[in-house]
Amino acid sequence: MKTDKIRKLFLDYFENKSHKVVPSDSLVSHDPTLLFTSAGMNQFKDKFLGKDLTYTRACSCQKCFRTGDLNNVGKTPRHHTFFEMLGNFSFGDYFKDDAISFAWEFFTKILKIDSNLLWVSVYKDDDEAYEIWNRKIGVPDEKIVRLGPKENFWPSNVQKQGPNGPCGPCSEIFYDQGEKAGCGKPDCKPGCDCDRFLEIWNLVFTQYEREETGELKPLPQKNIDTGLGLERIAAVMQGVESNFEIDIFKPIVAAIKKEANSPACPPRQRENTEQYSCK
Ligand code: GLY
């Protein structure tokens, strides 16, 4: 399935669930606290805080740039300088139950991803999200992993590191790329450093505002902020192991290859890994 089709299916799905389709904001942020737009939620910060609720459901495909990812670009098959992030947002409207149900339905019914290949993580204390995944959706216990504030709070480690503003525990959906992509350890699962479990969709339950003191103050309304990496889901749908092999990058790689007059070479996962070597 082509990347353009995935983008359209996502926006159509959420429009049909009464979400306003909002265009991507500028990559150079209007927000004085940000240099670049790094997530779909950036342009909705005021709405998460309960200001300007002219609509309470939105979805977008946001152009993003994450300075924090730069050191990984070229070393992993999934990090980019520039990328597109699909997202659906609720501003005091639906919360965990619907956010999880929508994500699952979109993956398994619209994209028809095999549910056996999907794993999820929840924040370590978030029994509510655990129960929804387990009892309502039917994800078995062994495929639900509880992780800490670095992995399952958004922004990552916000309690300790900031930034101030809307934040909350999150739940991520992972795609199992199979043993050949992994480290081979018997306890390998989401949260492992290897490439087997590809994090594809982050569902953030934005229910706090981090204050200058570091305190997390409950927001008057509960919100949803999700981020689904377009290039990552395209790699899954196109059955390729590297984002750099998806349809939208092929012409760019071909042009660079022509200029460089060298064989195509997807980025290496790590040094000396044959899977990603040029041989
Ligand atoms: N704002 C959610 C994410 O970027 O993962």
Side-chain angles (χ1 to χ4, degrees), residues 38-42 66 83 85 89 154 170 172 199 201-204 225-228:
S38 59
M41 63 81 71
N42 291 170
R66 288 189 171 175
F83 66 99
M85 182 180 276
F89 309 94
W154 203 88
C170 61
E172 294 180 311
E199 177 202 319
W201 201 343
N202 187 17
L203 316 180
V204 187
D225 154 32
T226 85
L228 166 60

Side-chain angles (χ1 to χ4, degrees), residues 131-171:
E131 294 296 316
I132 297 168
W133 280 118
N134 188 229
R135 287 174 191 248
K136 181 171 180 196
I137 306 292
V139 178
D141 287 311
E142 61 275 17
K143 287 192 170 172
I144 309 176
V145 179
R146 291 181 188 262
L147 295 171
K150 185 164 172 285
E151 298 85 4
N152 275 98
F153 222 91
W154 203 88
S156 171
N157 249 341
V158 69
Q159 294 100 318
K160 285 197 180 147
Q161 292 173 4
N164 299 334
C167 60
C170 61
S171 177

Side-chain angles (χ1 to χ4, degrees), residues 8 12 93 102 104 128 130 150 168 173 198 202 227:
K8 180 166 179 355
D12 287 352
D93 191 317
F102 288 158
W104 193 254
E128 188 187 357
Y130 190 102
K150 185 164 172 285
I173 308 178
L198 179 66
N202 187 17

Side-chain angles (χ1 to χ4, degrees), residues 10 13-14 17 19 88 94-113 118 120 133 137 171-173 200-205 224 226-228 233:
F10 181 91
Y13 174 83
F14 282 102
K17 303 273 183 206
H19 290 62
N88 56 292
Y94 61 89
F95 199 46
K96 290 181 191 179
D97 201 311
D98 280 338
I100 289 174
S101 301
F102 288 158
W104 193 254
E105 183 175 60
F106 181 71
F107 269 176
T108 60
K109 298 279 187 317
I110 307 293
L111 298 188
K112 299 189 173 23
I113 296 175
L118 297 175
V120 298
W133 280 118
I137 306 292
S171 177
E172 294 180 311
I173 308 178
I200 38 180
W201 201 343
N202 187 17
L203 316 180
V204 187
F205 312 126
I224 290 295
T226 85
L228 166 60
I233 188 63

